[in-house]
PDB file of all heavy atoms in Angstrom:
ATOM      1  N   THR W 118      11.030  -3.230 -15.074  1.00 82.00           N
ATOM      2  CA  THR W 118      10.538  -4.554 -14.932  1.00 82.00           C
ATOM      3  C   THR W 118       9.066  -4.502 -14.462  1.00 82.00           C
ATOM      4  O   THR W 118       8.163  -5.270 -15.048  1.00 82.00           O
ATOM      5  CB  THR W 118      11.380  -5.260 -13.814  1.00 82.00           C
ATOM      6  OG1 THR W 118      12.670  -5.413 -14.357  1.00 82.00           O
ATOM      7  CG2 THR W 118      10.822  -6.774 -13.528  1.00 82.00           C
ATOM      8  N   ALA W 119       8.655  -3.608 -13.500  1.00 84.00           N
ATOM      9  CA  ALA W 119       7.285  -3.537 -13.141  1.00 84.00           C
ATOM     10  C   ALA W 119       6.393  -3.209 -14.239  1.00 84.00           C
ATOM     11  O   ALA W 119       5.274  -3.641 -14.380  1.00 84.00           O
ATOM     12  CB  ALA W 119       7.202  -2.513 -11.982  1.00 84.00           C
ATOM     13  N   ILE W 120       6.770  -2.083 -15.136  1.00 85.00           N
ATOM     14  CA  ILE W 120       5.940  -1.858 -16.186  1.00 85.00           C
ATOM     15  C   ILE W 120       5.748  -3.005 -17.130  1.00 85.00           C
ATOM     16  O   ILE W 120       4.572  -3.212 -17.584  1.00 85.00           O
ATOM     17  CB  ILE W 120       6.621  -0.701 -17.002  1.00 85.00           C
ATOM     18  CG1 ILE W 120       6.584   0.571 -16.187  1.00 85.00           C
ATOM     19  CG2 ILE W 120       5.835  -0.356 -18.346  1.00 85.00           C
ATOM     20  CD1 ILE W 120       7.322   1.780 -16.687  1.00 85.00           C
ATOM     21  N   GLN W 121       6.771  -3.731 -17.431  1.00 84.00           N
ATOM     22  CA  GLN W 121       6.730  -4.740 -18.380  1.00 84.00           C
ATOM     23  C   GLN W 121       5.716  -5.937 -17.842  1.00 84.00           C
ATOM     24  O   GLN W 121       5.119  -6.639 -18.610  1.00 84.00           O
ATOM     25  CB  GLN W 121       8.087  -5.380 -18.764  1.00 84.00           C
ATOM     26  CG  GLN W 121       8.882  -4.416 -19.555  1.00 84.00           C
ATOM     27  CD  GLN W 121      10.381  -4.790 -19.717  1.00 84.00           C
ATOM     28  OE1 GLN W 121      10.809  -5.562 -18.943  1.00 84.00           O
ATOM     29  NE2 GLN W 121      11.039  -4.183 -20.681  1.00 84.00           N
ATOM     30  N   GLN W 122       5.780  -6.178 -16.529  1.00 85.00           N
ATOM     31  CA  GLN W 122       4.968  -7.178 -15.943  1.00 85.00           C
ATOM     32  C   GLN W 122       3.512  -6.687 -15.623  1.00 85.00           C
ATOM     33  O   GLN W 122       2.701  -7.552 -15.524  1.00 85.00           O
ATOM     34  CB  GLN W 122       5.558  -7.672 -14.633  1.00 85.00           C
ATOM     35  CG  GLN W 122       6.945  -8.420 -14.844  1.00 85.00           C
ATOM     36  CD  GLN W 122       7.659  -8.694 -13.532  1.00 85.00           C
ATOM     37  OE1 GLN W 122       7.318  -8.106 -12.407  1.00 85.00           O
ATOM     38  NE2 GLN W 122       8.613  -9.577 -13.631  1.00 85.00           N
ATOM     39  N   ALA W 123       3.250  -5.413 -15.525  1.00 87.00           N
ATOM     40  CA  ALA W 123       1.841  -4.933 -15.258  1.00 87.00           C
ATOM     41  C   ALA W 123       1.039  -5.000 -16.542  1.00 87.00           C
ATOM     42  O   ALA W 123       1.446  -4.938 -17.642  1.00 87.00           O
ATOM     43  CB  ALA W 123       2.020  -3.396 -14.738  1.00 87.00           C
ATOM     44  N   GLN W 124      -0.281  -5.064 -16.230  1.00 88.00           N
ATOM     45  CA  GLN W 124      -1.196  -5.088 -17.317  1.00 88.00           C
ATOM     46  C   GLN W 124      -1.551  -3.681 -17.925  1.00 88.00           C
ATOM     47  O   GLN W 124      -2.034  -3.468 -19.004  1.00 88.00           O
ATOM     48  CB  GLN W 124      -2.566  -5.757 -16.884  1.00 88.00           C
ATOM     49  CG  GLN W 124      -2.339  -7.096 -16.295  1.00 88.00           C
ATOM     50  CD  GLN W 124      -3.429  -7.506 -15.392  1.00 88.00           C
ATOM     51  OE1 GLN W 124      -4.431  -6.758 -15.069  1.00 88.00           O
ATOM     52  NE2 GLN W 124      -3.390  -8.679 -14.895  1.00 88.00           N
ATOM     53  N   GLN W 125      -1.272  -2.599 -16.978  1.00 90.00           N
ATOM     54  CA  GLN W 125      -1.574  -1.280 -17.371  1.00 90.00           C
ATOM     55  C   GLN W 125      -0.681  -0.352 -16.663  1.00 90.00           C
ATOM     56  O   GLN W 125      -0.132  -0.700 -15.600  1.00 90.00           O
ATOM     57  CB  GLN W 125      -3.026  -1.040 -16.964  1.00 90.00           C
ATOM     58  CG  GLN W 125      -3.492   0.291 -17.497  1.00 90.00           C
ATOM     59  CD  GLN W 125      -5.053   0.375 -17.406  1.00 90.00           C
ATOM     60  OE1 GLN W 125      -5.707  -0.563 -17.091  1.00 90.00           O
ATOM     61  NE2 GLN W 125      -5.577   1.515 -17.746  1.00 90.00           N
ATOM     62  N   SER W 126      -0.514   0.838 -17.294  1.00 89.00           N
ATOM     63  CA  SER W 126       0.221   1.944 -16.714  1.00 89.00           C
ATOM     64  C   SER W 126      -0.717   3.067 -16.394  1.00 89.00           C
ATOM     65  O   SER W 126      -1.664   3.401 -17.205  1.00 89.00           O
ATOM     66  CB  SER W 126       1.343   2.409 -17.563  1.00 89.00           C
ATOM     67  OG  SER W 126       2.412   1.514 -17.413  1.00 89.00           O
ATOM     68  N   LEU W 127      -0.555   3.858 -15.380  1.00 89.00           N
ATOM     69  CA  LEU W 127      -1.307   5.053 -15.028  1.00 89.00           C
ATOM     70  C   LEU W 127      -0.360   6.130 -14.818  1.00 89.00           C
ATOM     71  O   LEU W 127       0.630   6.045 -13.991  1.00 89.00           O
ATOM     72  CB  LEU W 127      -2.245   4.810 -13.753  1.00 89.00           C
ATOM     73  CG  LEU W 127      -2.778   5.977 -13.210  1.00 89.00           C
ATOM     74  CD1 LEU W 127      -3.809   6.599 -14.048  1.00 89.00           C
ATOM     75  CD2 LEU W 127      -3.428   5.644 -11.841  1.00 89.00           C
ATOM     76  N   ILE W 128      -0.477   7.292 -15.631  1.00 86.00           N
ATOM     77  CA  ILE W 128       0.437   8.356 -15.476  1.00 86.00           C
ATOM     78  C   ILE W 128      -0.353   9.438 -14.803  1.00 86.00           C
ATOM     79  O   ILE W 128      -1.421   9.852 -15.378  1.00 86.00           O
ATOM     80  CB  ILE W 128       1.093   8.809 -16.879  1.00 86.00           C
ATOM     81  CG1 ILE W 128       1.872   7.626 -17.521  1.00 86.00           C
ATOM     82  CG2 ILE W 128       1.859  10.163 -16.763  1.00 86.00           C
ATOM     83  CD1 ILE W 128       2.247   7.902 -18.857  1.00 86.00           C
ATOM     84  N   ILE W 129       0.089   9.891 -13.727  1.00 84.00           N
ATOM     85  CA  ILE W 129      -0.612  11.087 -12.971  1.00 84.00           C
ATOM     86  C   ILE W 129       0.107  12.321 -13.144  1.00 84.00           C
ATOM     87  O   ILE W 129       1.335  12.317 -12.763  1.00 84.00           O
ATOM     88  CB  ILE W 129      -0.779  10.683 -11.504  1.00 84.00           C
ATOM     89  CG1 ILE W 129      -1.597   9.404 -11.281  1.00 84.00           C
ATOM     90  CG2 ILE W 129      -1.460  11.757 -10.775  1.00 84.00           C
ATOM     91  CD1 ILE W 129      -1.694   8.917  -9.801  1.00 84.00           C
TER      92      ILE W 129
END
Side-chain angles (χ1 to χ4, degrees):
T118 303
I120 292 168
Q121 291 170 340
Q122 293 174 346
Q124 300 157 359
Q125 186 163 358
S126 290
L127 168 60
I128 300 173
I129 302 174

